[in-house]
Amino acid sequence: MHAHTSGKAHIFRSVVFHSLLAALASSISASDAWKPDASGDFTKEPGSAYEARMGSWEAERFGMFIHFGLYSIPAGAWDEKNIGGYAEWIQANADIPAKDYATLATQFNPAGFNAEAWVLAAKHAGMKYLVITTKHHDGFCLWPTKLNRDWNVATTPFKRDILGELSAACQKHGIRFGTYYSITDWHHPAQFISRDAAGHAPKGSYFQTRMHDGRKAEYVAYMKGQIAELIQRYDTDILWFDGDWVGWWTTDDGKDLYNYIRSIKPSIIINNRVSKRGSFKLDFGTPENETPGAALNHKWEACWTMNNSWGFKSADKSWKSPGDLIQKLIDINSKGGNLLLNVGPTEEGLIPQPSLDGLASMGEWLKVNGPAIYGSTHADLPRPAWGRITRHGAQQLFLHVFNRPADGVITVDGIQSAEAKATLLADGRELSVEAGKNRLQLTLPADAVTPPATVIALTLSQGWQPAPKTGGIALQADDKFLPAAEARISGQGPLKLEAGEHLGYWRRNGQEAGWSFELVLPGDYEVYLLCAAPAGKAGGKVELTSRHGKLVAQIAAQGKDWNDYQLVRLGTLKFPKMARESLAVEGVEKTSGAEGFMNLKGVVLRPVAK
Ligand code: FHN
């Protein structure tokens, strides 16, 4: 019988324990960090060393992304016209001649820049780290680099070392300092933008910069020199690469750069865009303005804008609400990810007020509910219809209720626990818990609801069994899995999500399930349905449609019952580029006499081996 402690104290003790674990992990000095053998290959780091090195970053769960640079001056408009797309892409989207874009460097003077104000905005929002664009695709450097004499902050009216002031403020306020660095560089002379006979840049030529023959080594040396400055001068803890998509940058180039960086600072954290984001997963994956539909089998951080532009865009007023932002943080953490939330300071160096307002609301919510976020991770339970679940360790769950069911009954499937204690984080009120077969239930009083997420700490006397994510079918590391829980159901009929992990009652022709997702790795994909269709009970003609083609299949007897899942191959689709994609599966014509088409756990997109 465990000693009875008050609800809050019990939770506090558990969260403190895990926070201490994370702090211990972060106390691993560079000298303790794992070092490779003579091969110098840091990607061979053993899992235990990797976990120890990544632990504190993972426990921090929430960071600030800052997009600031010359592009903050035009703020998405050029020659008095609003330019479509991201503000930091204005040079490309308006195809601004380099000499005209360079005039921005003579105007750059963010008189309102106050590093401490940025850092405190992050800290008061509950953010534990920040990542700033030290050099975006335009190649302009926010620090007095020695690697170029004419394209950095020292050559502007502002002159001050923005990175130096920001890293010092981070140090002072206990915020982890991180740095973004773009591999593609529209300014460096080794690279060029393809142009037509008239000198115009055809669509995509800024996206796919070209490397002059024989000058790649020169540019890689330039990058390595600048990265050494970011590490040795500013002690950056995170190197957040971008622009990895260019054709002249290879997986091996990325691995070489990864090893170079870790050889300088063994404890540093490097994102997967150091190489090719679709195939390289160290140290963490980086979905962008998209949250994976389920937990991933590698560490990851989703980066999101607060409106629709990374750099400040004066015309973009489409700010996400504080409630959306808080639920996004919870959703991401519940799938084992970190959230890197972006601010785009103005040309004066000020974070826009709507961003400050959203951050302040998140900070207020986290003051009360932080124990359910920091150190949290995926609970490996069916995702409930009422919200999300995070966990600390084996027996501390947090229920984040977005939508209180009409009857107030909160059901947690997949739990077998003789004893459980439920406590509202907001006021410590205890709620009674009933244990059912493989589930727990409690009633949330209407007056206890605190939008946008009411958090209940659920402490179990014993562990629980993981939910059948893919029905025992092992997926491959690079499979793109579109889970049932993320499907949008349409059409008239009883089709619905069951137990948070499969679509059932697929009984009527014409109903469909659709997914929207970020396709990171362009190429050919085998397309499969992960479905159960017992002989004599299920089957029918289904169609999978995407903008890249339609696949038709006749689902026949698959497996012995409604829980016997198989991968059914529909065919192949080609996804030409990294983009947001969508696809839908429609039950076109059910087999005569069948109860339903199938039970569907999800769609699997498997890259065709090259
Ligand atoms: O092209 C950039 C974009 O400007 C922005 O920096 C985002 C944020 O990570 N990354 C690239 C788009 O994937």
Side-chain angles (χ1 to χ4, degrees), residues 65 67 86 88-89 133 136-137 180 186 207 240-245 273 277 288 303 310-311 342 518 578:
F65 211 172
H67 275 69
Y86 295 147
E88 70 282 3
W89 269 75
T133 52
H136 205 267
H137 309 333
Y180 165 113
W186 300 332
F207 184 73
W240 209 100
F241 285 93
D242 204 4
D244 53 305
W245 54 71
R273 300 183 185 184
R277 67 183 81 176
E288 177 173 321
C303 56
W310 302 95
N342 182 74
E518 184 186 338
M578 178 175 75

Side-chain angles (χ1 to χ4, degrees), residues 453-475:
T454 306
V455 182
I456 300 161
L458 186 66
T459 309
L460 307 177
S461 60
Q462 61 189 43
W464 68 87
Q465 63 189 16
K469 287 193 295 288
T470 56
I473 300 281
L475 299 186

